[in-house]
Amino acid sequence: MARRKKIYEGKAKTLYEGPEPGTIVQYFKDDATAFNAEKKATIEGKGVLNNLLSEFFMTGLNTVGVPTHFLKRLNMREQLVRACEIIPLEIIVRNYAAGSMSKRLGIEEGTQLPRPIVEYCYKDDKLGDPLVTEEHIAAFGWASQHDMDDIVALALRVNDFMSGLMFGVGIKLIDFKIEIGRVYDGDFQRLIVADEISPDSCRLWDIETGQKLDKDVFRRDLGSLTDAYTEVAKRLGVMPKQATHPTKPTLIN
C-alpha cells in the first residue's frame, strides 16, 4: 500500500490525508519540546500514551455533546479525525495560576483563581505564540465576535468536563489549552474542538501531593515523562493498573 500523502508535520504530530474526503490521519510522535522548541528530546512511548489519552478525552466530550474533530482511533499511534479549518489561536483555560501567568502577574503557582480565566495566544512558533486579546482577534479577522462567544462557551464546557473527570481520579486540572476548528455543513458553519487533549496540553497535579503529571516534568527535569503520563492513563482506566510503559510500535501504512 502506498504511503499516504503528508499534509503537515508539527512538533508532536504529523498529519496525513485520510482515506475519505474530509478526513485526516493524525499520527502522534514521541518527540517532546519545550520553551518554543529550544529544548527537545525523543521519549519512547509518549506518542502512544497521548494518542490513547486524547481518544479518551475526545470521546468523552463527544458523548456529553461537546463537538470535536475525533472520529476513531486507527492503531496505537494514529487516529482518524475530521478535516477542519483551524482558527489560528490557542485557547487557554486557567483554574489555578501556573507557568507564564505566574511569571507575568507575580502570582504564586498553585493559587486558585477567582474563576476560570480564558486567554488567547496567536499560533505562530516564530513569534513564540504571543498572548493576544479579543481586540487583536477582531481587528485582524482571526475570528468574529460570534465565533468568540462560541469559543468561550466551548472552552468552559471542556473545562467543566475535564475538571470533574480529573477530580474523580485525584488530579487537579490546573490549566489546559485547546484549538478550535471550523467545519461547514453547506453554508452553515460550526466550531469544534480540534488538535488533541493530552498531558502535553494540560497541567495536571496530584491533589494530595502536588506531584506534576504533565509536560512540566520534561520542562523542569522532574523525572520520567512516560511515568507521569502512564500514571494519568492508569488512574483514568485507559491502561491497566499493572501495565508498564507502552512499547514503540512500527507504523504501518
Side-chain angles (χ1 to χ4, degrees), residues 115-176:
R115 59 179 177 83
I117 292 177
V118 181
E119 296 181 334
Y120 314 98
C121 289
Y122 177 55
K123 278 178 57 62
D124 189 314
D125 287 339
K126 293 179 182 178
L127 299 176
D129 301 326
L131 193 69
V132 293
T133 67
E134 289 195 18
E135 266 310 290
H136 295 101
I137 295 166
F140 295 117
W142 298 324
S144 68
Q145 186 57 57
H146 180 73
D147 287 341
M148 292 308 302
D149 293 341
D150 288 347
I151 286 170
V152 170
L154 278 174
L156 293 177
R157 289 176 68 193
V158 173
N159 189 44
D160 286 345
F161 172 78
M162 291 288 293
S163 294
L165 188 67
M166 290 300 180
F167 183 80
V169 295
I171 296 174
K172 188 184 294 184
L173 180 64
I174 301 299
D175 58 35
F176 66 91

Side-chain angles (χ1 to χ4, degrees), residues 45-57:
K46 170 180 170 288
V48 173
L49 285 161
N50 279 347
N51 184 24
L52 293 172
L53 284 164
S54 192
E55 173 198 15
F56 180 78
F57 296 135

Side-chain angles (χ1 to χ4, degrees), residues 9-13 28-47 50 77 200 215 217-226 229 248:
E9 183 166 5
K11 291 177 283 191
K13 293 184 296 299
F28 287 76
K29 304 193 295 184
D30 282 340
D31 295 352
T33 63
F35 312 117
N36 201 26
E38 291 179 11
K39 182 177 183 179
K40 301 178 183 178
T42 299
I43 299 173
E44 187 169 346
K46 170 180 170 288
N50 279 347
R77 287 188 178 272
D200 268 11
K215 201 164 77 168
V217 172
F218 172 69
R219 290 186 186 100
R220 304 182 186 187
D221 298 314
L222 298 176
S224 166
L225 193 67
T226 47
Y229 288 19
K248 186 175 183 179

